[in-house]
Amino acid sequence: MQKARRPHTKSRYGCDHCRRRRVKCDEQGPPCTNCILRQLSNCTYSRVFPASAIANARRSSAGQSDGHSRSLNGAGVAVSSASPTPPPKPHAVDELELMHQFTAETYQSLCASESETRIWQVVVPRLALKHRYLMHGILALASLHIATTRDPPDALPYVDAGLEYHSTSLEPFRIAIGNLTPENCDAALAQSVVTTAISLVLPQLTALRDNAMRMTENIITVFELLQGVKKILTIGKRQSWVNLELFSRGEFWQKDRLATLDGDTNAALDQLVALKGEYGLGVNDDVLNHLRHCFTKFSCSPGPAPVISWLAAVDKEFVHSLRQGKSFSMLVLAYWGILLGELDGKRWWARNSGRALVSELIASLGTQGTLWDGCLGWVQRKLAQGPGVSAQSICEGSPNAAAQI
């Protein structure tokens, strides 16, 4: 008896970028969701929808009762001209379920200390009622959190919903960062943390749809988004616009706390500084200094604050060098990937993200000399050892601030 053919799941008429990368396109562009996430402005469609599909799209467009004008884009997909950021499409996931998930469990994984519990559980959801991009952000994170607890077939609706909410939040979030006011400063700061967590977990979950994102690409996108966070912290705090005390309490920020770094990591960072003189033209010293600071602080307070703070601290020149694929900048990012890997098992959204990032970077970085090979060798050795801070690097008497959430 002949077996029935499996239904086709690949995108036949996806955008040129998705077809070139051989990933599934949602065909909803231009721009499609993948191009939005990768910040690609030239999302084009070379393959035209068949006439029957275009006719169906037109009939569907004509039947709309919302009063908005709609037209066919280059791919033959009906799009609305009423708003550049339409709300997420209806899906099988209930928003009430997602909000309950966030306020009951997900919020805990964002807390850097106990002092932030009420902020993330109560204050941020209230802010989200006034700022839709923050609402879509926390719904996206909650949906992805549920997806990590389900088997692949049951997880897919939550992955799709999370990706949809996330892509809808990106452009309004960028606009908010570019136009800070006393009213949106707190919401933009909260969204920056939420977006970082989403961007770290997405590459792992999109693999369920045969549409895996590259971890390196996602991290660079986070870098670019968080460039505006420095403006939030400088302008907002100078003008007393920021009221949310995120990452501002707990052991990480105690200046009088004596923290020491284990000898192996300290020596590896010294090697990286020495290598900068040979390969790191254009990389600001502050990038490496703050990386050492974050490694040191993490040894005393192993939570998300020391890890995420480096993302927001680097300058535009470093981010640009990453976009250009400069080898030294990629090596610096691999060092940070080792620090990110320490959150594996401590935060669900960081699970396997450090390992995935470092593995991608190692594959693209070849041998270049004795000092270079020493730095790259440390990264490879730490990757082989797996996550976990050694007992020697934990400050004596310091409680573990990062629960297994």
Side-chain angles (χ1 to χ4, degrees):
M1 182 176 179
Q2 187 176 7
K3 293 184 178 179
R5 293 184 62 183
R6 295 179 61 183
H8 179 77
T9 59
K10 294 183 179 180
S11 52
R12 296 182 183 275
Y13 306 98
C15 79
D16 296 338
H17 283 302
C18 290
R19 290 176 54 220
R20 194 176 302 117
R21 295 173 59 224
R22 297 188 177 182
V23 298
K24 183 176 176 61
C25 179
D26 61 9
E27 303 174 351
Q28 297 302 305
C32 69
T33 300
N34 290 336
C35 287
I36 291 174
L37 291 176
R38 300 179 69 221
Q39 295 186 334
L40 299 176
S41 58
N42 56 338
C43 180
T44 58
Y45 290 75
S46 297
R47 289 189 176 181
V48 182
F49 268 38
S52 58
I54 296 177
N56 290 336
R58 285 175 175 159
R59 284 194 294 270
S60 174
S61 175
Q64 294 291 328
S65 58
D66 57 6
H68 297 314
S69 62
R70 297 174 67 86
S71 60
L72 291 175
N73 62 18
V77 180
V79 295
S80 172
S81 61
S83 171
T85 54
K89 305 170 192 175
H91 43 65
V93 177
D94 191 336
E95 288 187 351
L96 291 179
E97 177 191 8
L98 299 183
M99 182 55 74
H100 176 266
Q101 170 68 26
F102 184 86
T103 57
E105 295 183 32
T106 303
Y107 80 92
Q108 299 176 58
S109 67
L110 300 175
C111 296
S113 63
E114 291 184 3
S115 64
E116 294 184 7
T117 298
R118 185 178 182 278
I119 293 176
W120 283 112
Q121 187 177 27
V122 179
V123 178
V124 169
R126 285 178 180 171
L127 275 174
L129 295 175
K130 299 179 181 179
H131 304 274
R132 296 301 296 174
Y133 61 86
L134 179 56
M135 176 63 75
H136 291 156
I138 65 178
L139 292 178
L141 189 62
S143 190
L144 297 175
H145 192 183
I146 294 175
T148 63
T149 67
R150 305 290 178 90
D151 293 329
D154 296 329
L156 289 177
Y158 293 96
V159 173
D160 292 343
L163 186 58
E164 205 167 88
Y165 281 120
H166 176 52
S167 62
T168 305
S169 72
L170 288 177
E171 189 58 29
F173 177 42
R174 290 193 186 96
I175 293 173
I177 289 178
N179 299 273
L180 290 177
T181 67
E183 288 72 30
N184 70 6
C185 216
D186 282 335
L189 179 59
Q191 179 66 9
S192 69
V193 180
V194 171
T195 299
T196 301
I198 292 172
S199 299
L200 289 173
V201 73
L202 262 181
Q204 314 297 320
L205 290 176
T206 52
L208 297 176
R209 278 290 188 201
D210 297 324
N211 190 20
M213 304 172 182
R214 291 189 74 248
M215 195 71 199
T216 306
E217 181 72 28
N218 237 36
I219 292 297
I220 295 175
T221 300
V222 173
F223 272 126
E224 293 168 338
L225 283 171
L226 295 188
Q227 285 297 300
V229 175
K230 284 183 285 188
K231 186 166 66 173
I232 297 174
L233 297 177
T234 55
I235 296 178
K237 288 191 174 181
R238 186 171 65 242
Q239 302 289 342
S240 299
W241 290 355
V242 177
N243 296 311
L244 292 185
E245 294 185 333
L246 298 179
F247 292 177
S248 60
R249 294 184 181 181
E251 292 176 297
F252 176 71
W253 298 107
Q254 292 181 13
K255 293 182 179 179
D256 58 345
R257 185 84 185 182
L258 295 177
T260 57
L261 198 59
D262 67 277
D264 180 55
T265 303
N266 193 56
L269 290 169
D270 285 342
Q271 273 192 314
L272 192 63
V273 172
L275 189 65
K276 178 184 177 297
E278 186 175 349
Y279 292 93
L281 294 177
V283 175
N284 194 304
D285 289 339
D286 290 342
V287 172
L288 300 185
N289 292 337
H290 194 69
L291 182 62
R292 183 188 296 273
H293 176 73
C294 290
F295 266 100
T296 303
K297 286 296 187 180
F298 188 89
S299 71
C300 202
S301 179
V307 180
I308 294 179
S309 67
W310 187 74
L311 290 173
V314 298
D315 53 36
K316 291 182 179 179
E317 288 72 20
F318 180 75
V319 178
H320 182 62
S321 68
L322 286 175
R323 273 286 177 210
Q324 292 180 314
K326 296 293 182 63
S327 58
F328 182 77
S329 298
M330 291 295 186
L331 181 61
V332 174
L333 184 59
Y335 266 60
W336 177 80
I338 295 298
L339 183 60
L340 173 62
E342 298 290 0
L343 288 181
D344 199 334
K346 298 180 177 67
R347 291 296 188 270
W348 65 269
W349 39 262
R351 189 174 303 140
N352 201 42
S353 56
R355 174 171 292 275
L357 173 63
V358 174
S359 297
E360 284 183 11
L361 291 169
I362 288 177
S364 64
L365 296 173
T367 59
Q368 298 190 33
T370 304
L371 192 56
W372 174 279
D373 293 350
C375 291
L376 187 60
W378 179 82
V379 173
Q380 293 169 325
R381 188 171 69 255
K382 296 294 287 186
L383 180 67
Q385 291 174 356
V389 183
S390 63
Q392 291 82 2
S393 65
I394 298 293
C395 295
E396 187 175 355
S398 171
N400 189 348
Q404 300 285 326
I405 298 173

